[in-house]
Amino acid sequence: MPQNRITHLNKSKSSQSPSTSVNFLFYVSKLFGLVPYSISDYLSKRQFEVSPFGNVFCIISCIFYGILYHIMMSGTMTDSESRDKKVTSLTEVIGLIILYLEPFMMTIDIVASIINQTSFIDVFNRLLAIDERLANENVYVSYKFFKKFSISMILIAFLSEFGLGLMN
């Protein structure tokens, strides 16, 4: 009797879906108002859902960050102007553009995430459908690497910002 040579890559079903592998990143981003999705729907269904409150919260947090950034930068601009009187108008304009480029780029990213949020949800739904088709073929994908990678990137960003704050 011939032996069955079919082997399975992983017999236990993967407990993580593409959306749950980035849940730490989602929670941190939602806390700071960077993503417009509903956190209650994510907690109950483990799916990203469009949220009108999330959209408003993103816009309000973006305005709030912009105001705080302006207050912080206006203090540093007045100190630098009083020390150096040889500042030309072109240098001032370039300095203002460089200073306000960061909140402007953040605002563009948040508005783009609000506009394209349904496309982002579709990407995760497609990934889930692909995972289900692969599971039917007894191929299971582990998303532990993505979870570890996202957590390590957040920690690196936090430590870098903390270090920059200490140096300033």
Side-chain angles (χ1 to χ4, degrees):
M1 189 177 239
Q3 289 183 342
N4 189 0
R5 299 241 178 218
I6 298 174
T7 58
H8 299 288
L9 294 177
N10 187 359
K11 293 191 182 212
S12 65
K13 186 174 181 191
S14 176
S15 63
Q16 288 190 342
S17 67
S19 62
T20 58
S21 65
V22 293
N23 61 2
F24 184 75
L25 182 62
F26 173 72
Y27 293 138
V28 171
S29 300
K30 187 63 181 176
L31 176 70
F32 290 111
L34 301 176
V35 291
Y37 304 105
S38 171
I39 196 155
S40 61
D41 286 337
Y42 185 76
L43 289 173
S44 63
K45 302 175 194 173
R46 290 289 182 207
Q47 290 182 338
F48 296 114
E49 298 288 331
V50 177
S51 168
F53 175 74
N55 292 336
V56 172
F57 184 63
C58 283
I59 292 170
I60 289 172
S61 66
C62 192
I63 292 169
F64 180 70
Y65 291 145
I67 290 170
L68 287 179
Y69 190 84
H70 174 71
I71 291 170
M72 183 181 70
M73 286 297 131
S74 64
T76 60
M77 287 187 298
T78 56
D79 290 344
S80 65
E81 288 175 5
S82 64
R83 283 184 273 153
D84 187 22
K85 295 290 184 183
K86 291 188 171 187
V87 176
T88 63
S89 59
L90 180 62
T91 307
E92 282 183 35
V93 171
I94 292 172
L96 286 173
I97 289 171
I98 291 172
L99 282 176
Y100 288 103
L101 192 62
E102 184 177 348
F104 180 68
M105 288 177 7
M106 183 190 75
T107 304
I108 288 174
D109 287 341
I110 290 175
V111 169
S113 72
I114 290 172
I115 292 171
N116 297 318
Q117 61 186 321
T118 55
S119 299
F120 186 73
I121 292 170
D122 289 342
V123 167
F124 275 97
N125 289 338
R126 284 187 211 142
L127 285 173
L128 188 62
I130 290 170
D131 276 355
E132 289 172 355
R133 280 191 244 148
L134 287 172
N136 290 338
E137 299 292 327
N138 293 324
V139 177
Y140 299 100
V141 180
S142 175
Y143 289 101
K144 290 179 184 179
F145 172 76
F146 294 116
K147 186 173 187 169
K148 289 178 184 178
F149 185 74
S150 66
I151 291 172
S152 64
M153 293 305 286
I154 289 172
L155 288 175
I156 289 170
F158 175 76
L159 292 174
S160 298
E161 289 294 326
F162 186 72
L164 286 173
L166 285 177
M167 284 187 225
N168 285 331

